[in-house]
């Protein structure tokens, strides 16, 4: 017989929000893992002692975690959902009739004081600290990778070329993402003359990107790229450093989606992890995009084994003699070509950390091997200033430890899949590198909390709702 739902009107209900939320609910598990008792004390210097009380910062963090865990990216919708959903109310400590902040006040607090106080990074680091205390972080092996997330910037709102029009370049009238872009340009031009010294030779900074082909008028820091998508668009990269024991994210950094900036963010994250948590891995797993001589040299200089396939162009020879067919004479710092002629260098290091060794045109001109060697006047070969370190990495390739790292680095890709599929991070909501950074930190915090919550459930008997 077909059932029929009858609305029963009752004057009084006996209802407990605490009992209503199931013991295995994701938010209940996360609540057990989340400790925000420190938050008010740390943020106190950023609040005035007089005036109207602000939104409780703990309420804001809890609401933002709800939004991140359930893919609710709009602040207006998040406020509505928290108002209506009993589980969200319980997690946010709002009770049945607690007032949910207005979305505009919520937004203002999030983008003002929270950003100033670096709240998202503080929360992220506290959660990583909890993961370390729970034994989820080994500190022996890290993996790094980047994934492309579209920026909140329209395809149509762009200018061709690497410069903004003058009317958009006034810092006093520009919006925050444009001001951040202009400030970064100023900082980059202040550093323009700086060099690092490698192998006794000056080496230009590795992070200098190629001029942009197009700029977004709304978020000029975002890179104009077709990476990660068939269609060219403006995008940021979420650079993620992961501990390999239980795939806990130990650091995250937002950069424009350009290869050079993704690689340059790796030392930044490794150094920050060392400073904040005292963790330095003994090996780093990454894909071949991270196989540049500069990064390999930097890692080995800090005692980190690079388990990274090298960027080698040896096989891209188009039928010409390969670099490996030229022998290097270390004592005289020169190459000897297959015809037995010396190739010398001026010692100058070009961008990319390369020294150039050239044969003499008088040697190449009459050489029988010239058709297979060069189409120019004389052959030139390059040698990375970190070639010794690169050679060490070549020896590592194929060892069991290297193969294990190659397998384990897929854990980062699984995190990216979860980020996009489950947390809905296909397009950013916030603009500018700061907005992207805030979103990535929140997502990494939510991912770590889920893992921490799972480990706590596994290691302790389940505690159900408190008795009424
Ligand atoms: S072309 Fe020049 S560099 Fe090449 S093998 Fe002949 S002499 Fe040597």
């Amino acid at each position: 017989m077909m059932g029929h739902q009858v609305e029963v009107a009752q004057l009084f209900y006996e209802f407990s929000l605490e009992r209503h939320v199931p013991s295995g609910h994701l938010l209940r598990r996360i609540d057990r893992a989340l400790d925000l008792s420190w938050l008010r004390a740390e943020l106190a210097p950023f609040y005035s002692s007089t005036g109207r009380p602000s939104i409780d910062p703990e309420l804001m963090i809890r609401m933002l975690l709800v939004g991140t865990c359930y893919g609710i990216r709009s602040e207006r919708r998040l406020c509505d959902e928290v108002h209506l959903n009993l589980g969200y109310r319980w997690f946010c400590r709002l009770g049945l009739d607690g007032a949910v902040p207005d979305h505009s006040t919520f937004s203002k607090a999030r983008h003002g004081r929270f950003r100033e106080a670096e709240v998202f990074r503080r929360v992220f680091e506290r959660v990583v600290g909890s993961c370390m205390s729970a034994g989820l972080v080994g500190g022996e092996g890290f993996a790094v990778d980047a994934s492309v997330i579209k920026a909140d910037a329209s395809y149509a709102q762009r200018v061709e070329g690497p410069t903004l029009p003058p009317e958009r370049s006034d810092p006093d009238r520009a919006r925050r993402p444009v001001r951040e872009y202009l400030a970064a340009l100023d900082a980059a031009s202040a550093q323009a003359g700086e060099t690092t010294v490698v192998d006794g030779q000056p080496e230009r900074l590795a992070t200098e990107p190629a001029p942009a082909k197009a700029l977004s008028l709304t978020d000029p820091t975002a890179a104009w790229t077709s990476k990660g998508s068939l269609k060219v668009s403006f995008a940021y990269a979420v650079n993620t450093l992961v501990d390999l024991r239980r795939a806990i994210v130990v650091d995250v950094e937002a950069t424009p989606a350009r290869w050079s900036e993704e690689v340059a963010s790796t030392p930044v994250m490794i150094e920050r992890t060392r400073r904040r948590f005292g963790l330095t891995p003994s090996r780093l797993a990454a894909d071949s995009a991270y196989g540049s001589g500069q990064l390999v040299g930097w890692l080995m200089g800090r005692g980190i084994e690079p388990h990274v396939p090298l960027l080698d162009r040896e096989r891209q020879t188009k039928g010409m003699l390969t670099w490996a067919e030229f022998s290097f004479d270390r004592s005289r710092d020169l190459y000897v070509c297959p015809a037995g002629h010396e190739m010398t260098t001026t010692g100058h290091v070009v961008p990319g950390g390369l020294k150039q060794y050239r044969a003499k045109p008088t040697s190449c001109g009459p050489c029988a091997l010239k058709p297979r060697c060069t189409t120019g006047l004389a052959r030139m070969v390059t040698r990375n200033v970190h070639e010794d370190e690169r050679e060490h990495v070549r020896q590592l390739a194929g060892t069991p430890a290297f193969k294990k790292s190659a397998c384990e680095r897929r854990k980062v890709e699984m995190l990216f899949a979860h980020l996009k599929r489950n947390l809905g991070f296909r397009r950013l909501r916030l603009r500018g590198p700061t907005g992207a950074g805030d979103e990535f930190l929140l997502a990494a915090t939510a991912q770590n909390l889920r893992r921490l919550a799972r480990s706590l459930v596994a290691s302790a008997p389940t505690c159900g709702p408190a008795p009424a």
Side-chain angles (χ1 to χ4, degrees):
M1 191 177 79
M2 186 185 294
H4 180 74
Q5 174 75 31
V6 179
E7 187 182 354
V8 181
Q10 273 185 250
L11 193 55
F12 299 103
Y13 288 89
E14 187 187 347
F15 181 82
S16 163
L17 198 53
E18 181 65 34
R19 277 183 301 178
H20 187 74
V21 181
S23 63
H25 193 278
L26 173 66
L27 289 179
R28 191 177 277 282
R29 285 188 279 128
I30 287 182
D31 187 62
R32 284 190 204 112
L34 181 64
D35 174 19
L36 293 173
S37 55
W38 53 272
L39 187 65
R40 296 184 67 83
E42 282 206 12
L43 297 193
F46 296 91
Y47 286 81
S48 164
S49 55
T50 57
R52 290 178 59 196
S54 71
I55 304 174
D56 184 342
E58 180 169 344
L59 170 61
M60 285 197 57
I61 291 293
R62 286 178 176 272
M63 284 178 67
L64 287 166
L65 285 173
V66 166
T68 309
C69 289
Y70 289 95
I72 307 168
R73 311 285 306 287
S74 148
E75 283 160 7
R76 185 188 290 260
R77 209 186 121 220
L78 177 61
C79 292
D80 289 348
E81 294 286 341
V82 171
H83 177 73
L84 288 171
N85 187 302
L86 292 178
Y88 299 170
R89 276 190 166 270
W90 173 84
F91 183 74
C92 295
R93 311 276 197 265
L94 280 169
L96 272 179
D97 55 0
V100 175
D102 178 72
H103 68 86
S104 61
T105 322
F106 184 89
S107 187
K108 207 169 168 186
R110 176 185 183 180
H111 303 309
R113 204 179 334 244
F114 262 43
R115 203 164 268 165
E116 186 190 334
E118 296 192 326
V119 172
F120 300 114
R121 184 156 283 283
R122 287 171 194 252
V123 173
F124 168 75
E125 289 180 354
R126 288 281 179 161
V127 171
V128 174
S130 301
C131 293
M132 289 170 69
S133 307
L136 303 184
V137 177
E140 179 271 328
F142 285 177
V144 70
D145 206 348
S147 187
V148 176
I149 311 279
K150 280 187 183 172
D152 183 29
S154 162
Y155 177 91
Q157 286 287 312
R158 72 179 195 277
V159 284
E160 301 298 330
T163 45
L164 283 176
E167 68 275 13
R168 298 277 189 157
S169 311
D170 180 359
D172 297 329
R173 292 167 50 202
R175 299 179 78 105
R176 180 189 55 78
V178 179
R179 287 201 307 275
E180 285 182 10
Y181 170 75
L182 295 172
L185 279 187
D186 289 345
S189 60
Q191 285 184 347
E194 285 185 23
T195 55
T196 50
V197 176
V198 176
D199 200 19
Q201 297 294 328
E203 180 188 45
R204 290 176 65 185
L205 291 174
T207 54
E208 197 175 301
K213 288 185 178 165
L215 285 183
S216 162
L217 293 171
T218 44
D219 188 351
T221 311
W224 178 242
T225 180
S226 59
K227 276 180 76 180
S229 156
L230 292 176
K231 196 174 164 192
V232 67
S233 57
F234 292 106
Y236 282 91
V238 49
N239 298 279
T240 306
L241 188 66
V242 168
D243 180 83
L244 288 173
R245 177 181 282 179
R246 296 288 293 274
I248 295 295
V249 180
V250 289
D251 204 356
V252 68
E253 178 86 1
T255 61
R258 288 189 201 98
W259 170 77
S260 60
E261 304 205 33
E262 291 167 15
V263 173
S265 72
T266 304
V268 173
M269 292 193 289
I270 289 177
E271 272 300 299
R272 190 160 48 207
T273 306
R274 183 188 61 76
R275 280 199 314 274
R276 302 281 164 90
F277 306 115
L279 294 174
T280 302
S282 56
R283 63 188 167 108
L284 179 78
D287 61 28
S288 59
Y290 295 81
S292 70
Q294 285 168 312
L295 183 59
V296 164
W298 186 90
L299 290 169
M300 290 190 61
R302 280 148 190 84
I304 303 170
E305 289 271 274
H307 288 184
V308 184
L310 290 179
L311 275 179
D312 260 332
R313 312 268 184 226
E314 279 180 41
R315 284 183 287 275
Q316 301 170 11
T317 59
K318 298 178 181 165
M320 307 297 259
L321 293 175
T322 66
W323 172 83
E325 288 168 271
F326 294 73
S327 50
F328 184 62
D329 186 333
R330 186 181 301 279
S331 60
R332 293 188 292 158
D333 190 20
L334 55 80
Y335 272 94
V336 179
C337 77
H341 295 285
E342 292 179 355
M343 303 172 74
T344 54
T345 179
T346 61
H348 178 64
V349 179
V350 299
L354 300 172
K355 279 163 82 172
Q356 298 174 327
Y357 295 78
R358 295 175 191 278
K360 291 191 177 107
T362 48
S363 306
C364 296
C367 178
L369 293 173
K370 191 174 179 233
R372 287 182 51 224
C373 192
T374 179
T375 53
L377 276 178
R379 175 73 187 252
M380 187 263 290
V381 293
T382 56
R383 182 178 175 84
N384 199 299
V385 291
H386 298 291
E387 199 54 48
D388 292 341
E389 290 90 338
R390 282 163 57 85
E391 189 52 43
H392 176 77
V393 175
R394 281 191 199 99
Q395 305 297 325
L396 285 178
T399 60
F402 195 94
K403 286 180 185 165
K404 182 171 171 245
S405 294
C407 218
E408 287 181 326
R409 73 177 149 81
R410 291 183 197 141
K411 290 178 181 177
V412 197
E413 285 157 20
M414 288 166 69
L415 283 170
F416 292 150
H418 178 264
L419 182 75
K420 292 183 180 178
R421 198 179 307 153
N422 298 54
L423 305 187
F425 269 73
R426 295 195 175 277
R427 186 184 176 107
L428 291 169
R429 298 274 317 176
L430 306 181
R431 290 177 180 162
T434 315
D438 287 354
E439 290 205 64
F440 295 157
L441 278 168
L442 258 178
T445 305
Q447 289 183 315
N448 283 348
L449 275 172
R450 290 170 73 108
R451 280 191 156 70
L452 179 61
R454 204 178 306 146
S455 86
L456 294 181
V457 168
S459 63
T462 310
C463 18

